[in-house]
Amino acid sequence: MITFENVNKKYGEYQALTDINAEVKRGEVVVVCGPSGSGKSTLIRTVNRLEEINSGAILFDGKNVHAPMSRRELNRLRSHVGFVFQSFNLFPHLSTLENITLSPIKINGVKREVAREKAMALLDRVGLAHKADAYPSQLSGGQQQRVAIARALAMEPPAMLFDEPTSALDPEMVGEVLAVMKNLAAEGMTMMCVTHEMGFARDVADRVWFMDSGSILEMADPETFFSAPEHPRAKRFLSDLRH
Amino acid sequence: MIGDIVIIIRDNWLLLLIGQYPNGPLGGLAATLILSVLSIALAFPVAMLIALARLSKSPFLLWPSTVLVYVARGVPLLMLIFWVYFVVPLIIGTRIPGFVTMLVTLVLYEGAFLSEIIRAGIVALGRGQMEAARSLGHSYMGAMAWVILPQALYNMIPSILSQFVSTIKDTTLGYVINVADLTFAANQVNNQLLTQPFQVFFILALIYFVICWSLTRAAIYLERRISNKRSGRGGQVPPAMSAQALTAEP
């Protein structure tokens, strides 16, 4: 579903990603972890081209995201990749419901009533149907992030990307967001998720990718990764987490 | 003195209101209002275009817009008015009425300043909102229209209002190229009376003050209505944010 082929990215002289070769299969949940500055966020942001790459290819559903293409094609491609940000990025001038319906209406030309109905169903799914008319400023961080997930789902993406979705949350709100993500995973959604929530990785992930200084050092199923990591850097990372 | 003012208004109200119309061009307060409304109404969309051009990566948009803004900022409005008044007819080979000269100059000048306000509002929003909109599949212009500008313009209402008020006050400079506006009419009155400049110009100042004050009230009303809607409070009117709300002390 998402294939990285020899992906390299530089910021000036700084090599942010080095020879990334990896694949997220359809229906798979991949958790990307690693110390901060290791390139996890950069990697996930290259998938819908929020970051450009210097060489290599990223195939999404068989199509190279970084091939030259018209703006219209790129917009359509992006609408097929759900993206959830660390900082939620809800649109503060729109109500919860309008946040979700804006894109289906404006981009896909969905009728207003149809979009509202679907948005209500999505809100129900993330447990926030009663907040449909609230504005983002009236929601807690956890609620905002759940709305952000519903907003991304409204475009019916075949895959969802999560860039540290719980890092900006108070500890007691992390659970509600992870629960929504778990449900999504259980429904068979293809997910790529940068997170520090190792419990989530253990319970939900099919594969764990461990990154450091722009490279993927280890790919393993969570069982193996957490009990017997191979790479010394991964061992150090996991033992640091436990302290 | 109040008596003098009342008498001046009683004798000259028509001149102050519409100038020498229908025996001359429409002038006085009517001309001032028309010039102000047209200037603001045209400067605003022009400013949006300049702001977007200044944020563009294309040098064909970036360069001309930047030059326009720098020239408008660097040259006094009066010089700009003289330029347009004296130079443009030489270039296009025909005279243009003072009113049109004034309108064009004001639209460019105020548009340049307004564009910087709008640009600041857009830049201040940060990258997150644009990234969120683009990642949902919105085009750049779509994201601007539905996500960025509604926030940026709202945040900038106070600055935009100041610029609108400046525009109204800058219409008085039309006097130097004989645009028959309110200032021009007041000066005609003063030239007739000769002995009461304070009273005449007091009337003039008062009228400008009332116009600008009304605009300010309208903008505050608009700002409150939007902020009510966006905080989900419906019709309730919250108190305007006091200075105290911005300090740490209780």
Side-chain angles (χ1 to χ4, degrees):
Chain A
M1 177 107 225
I2 308 170
T3 312
F4 299 87
E5 289 176 354
N6 294 315
V7 173
N8 280 281
K9 161 141 190 97
K10 281 182 183 174
Y11 291 113
E13 286 298 295
Y14 178 73
Q15 184 91 25
L17 296 173
T18 313
D19 291 326
I20 303 287
N21 282 289
E23 188 186 2
V24 182
K25 296 199 180 69
R26 192 174 295 274
E28 204 176 33
V29 177
V30 167
V31 162
V32 185
C33 65
S36 65
S38 59
K40 314 179 293 281
S41 285
T42 307
L43 180 69
I44 204 168
R45 286 163 60 90
T46 58
V47 177
N48 70 350
R49 223 166 139 175
L50 284 178
E51 301 283 350
E52 298 290 340
I53 60 176
N54 295 88
S55 67
I58 298 172
L59 306 181
F60 184 87
D61 239 351
K63 204 168 173 212
N64 185 3
V65 179
H66 288 267
M69 61 175 80
S70 70
R71 288 175 201 180
R72 189 179 288 256
E73 272 177 286
L74 178 59
N75 294 337
R76 191 172 316 127
L77 202 146
R78 279 181 172 148
S79 74
H80 293 159
V81 188
F83 201 102
V84 176
F85 296 86
Q86 178 178 359
S87 48
F88 330 134
N89 292 342
L90 288 184
F91 306 137
H93 62 300
L94 299 177
S95 73
T96 299
L97 197 71
E98 291 165 336
N99 259 280
I100 302 173
T101 57
L102 177 74
S103 306
I105 293 173
K106 298 294 181 199
I107 299 170
N108 293 345
V110 175
K111 283 222 174 65
R112 190 169 291 272
E113 308 81 65
V114 180
R116 290 177 75 93
E117 222 164 277
K118 214 180 119 203
M120 283 310 295
L122 283 168
L123 277 176
D124 201 34
R125 218 164 123 190
V126 300
L128 288 171
H130 60 294
K131 293 286 186 188
D133 295 322
Y135 280 74
S137 60
Q138 299 166 306
L139 302 178
S140 73
Q143 291 172 331
Q144 289 192 48
Q145 193 61 296
R146 286 189 278 157
V147 173
I149 294 173
R151 179 177 71 176
L153 289 172
M155 296 300 281
E156 301 180 340
M160 289 280 286
L161 311 176
F162 296 85
D163 186 7
E164 305 205 23
T166 57
S167 301
L169 296 176
D170 288 341
E172 77 266 25
M173 291 169 186
V174 170
E176 62 191 65
V177 173
L178 291 181
V180 168
M181 291 168 63
K182 276 183 193 173
N183 282 337
L184 263 183
E187 287 162 21
M189 175 63 81
T190 307
M191 291 164 57
M192 183 172 167
C193 182
V194 173
T195 184
H196 297 292
E197 294 297 326
M198 292 304 131
F200 175 81
R202 208 187 293 261
D203 295 348
V204 182
D206 297 302
R207 305 281 289 168
V208 177
W209 299 355
F210 176 76
M211 287 187 76
D212 190 29
S213 37
S215 306
I216 298 180
L217 299 182
E218 187 158 348
M219 288 190 240
D221 58 274
E223 186 84 14
T224 318
F225 179 74
F226 288 110
S227 57
E230 272 176 25
H231 201 281
R233 184 67 189 85
K235 281 180 192 163
R236 188 142 51 87
F237 176 73
L238 285 173
S239 81
D240 285 346
L241 278 188
R242 279 185 206 110
H243 296 134
Chain B
M1 191 196 105
I2 306 258
D4 294 343
I5 290 174
V6 171
I7 291 167
I8 293 171
I9 293 177
R10 194 195 63 201
D11 293 346
N12 297 287
W13 64 273
L14 196 61
L15 180 68
L16 291 171
L17 201 61
I18 58 171
Q20 284 163 324
Y21 188 82
N23 303 319
L26 182 63
L29 179 61
T32 290
L33 287 177
I34 293 172
L35 186 57
S36 301
V37 168
L38 281 180
S39 299
I40 291 171
L42 294 174
F44 194 60
V46 165
M48 291 233 242
L49 294 179
I50 300 173
L52 291 178
R54 288 262 284 152
L55 290 166
S56 156
K57 285 184 190 128
S58 152
F60 299 103
L61 295 173
L62 181 61
W63 275 93
S65 57
T66 305
V67 167
L68 177 64
V69 169
Y70 274 64
V71 167
R73 268 201 304 227
V75 177
L77 178 55
L78 197 58
M79 301 301 115
L80 222 50
I81 294 169
F82 281 139
W83 268 10
V84 177
Y85 187 66
F86 291 117
V87 178
V88 170
L90 289 181
I91 296 169
I92 63 173
T94 168
R95 273 204 49 172
I96 43 174
F99 185 89
V100 177
T101 303
M102 203 53 208
L103 181 62
V104 171
T105 315
L106 278 176
V107 167
L108 289 177
Y109 184 80
E110 308 294 344
F113 277 89
L114 260 182
S115 78
E116 285 296 279
I117 295 173
I118 294 171
R119 191 172 71 96
I122 293 171
V123 172
L125 278 184
R127 287 195 320 177
Q129 291 289 312
M130 180 54 100
E131 282 186 350
R134 297 307 300 274
S135 74
L136 284 163
H138 288 276
S139 63
Y140 178 78
M141 288 312 280
M144 274 290 168
W146 311 120
V147 176
I148 305 296
L149 284 176
Q151 297 181 60
L153 294 179
Y154 167 72
N155 292 342
M156 285 300 170
I157 286 177
S159 303
I160 290 173
L161 171 72
S162 298
Q163 203 57 44
F164 283 0
V165 169
S166 287
T167 307
I168 295 175
K169 293 197 283 190
D170 287 345
T171 61
T172 55
L173 288 173
Y175 174 77
V176 300
I177 55 169
N178 289 327
V179 176
D181 70 341
L182 182 60
T183 310
F184 190 85
N187 207 51
Q188 279 179 308
V189 173
N190 185 47
N191 287 346
Q192 280 168 21
L193 298 174
L194 286 174
T195 52
Q196 295 172 307
F198 179 81
Q199 288 84 336
V200 170
F201 289 113
F202 181 78
I203 296 170
L204 185 64
L206 197 65
I207 297 175
Y208 278 112
F209 182 83
V210 168
I211 298 172
C212 295
W213 180 81
S214 314
L215 182 62
T216 308
R217 296 306 305 175
I220 291 173
Y221 173 75
L222 175 73
E223 195 179 355
R224 281 209 199 144
R225 248 189 51 170
I226 298 175
S227 80
N228 279 349
K229 184 177 163 280
R230 288 183 186 178
S231 60
R233 262 196 295 263
Q236 239 171 295
V237 177
M241 190 190 283
S242 64
Q244 202 185 15
L246 300 173
T247 60
E249 315 304 325

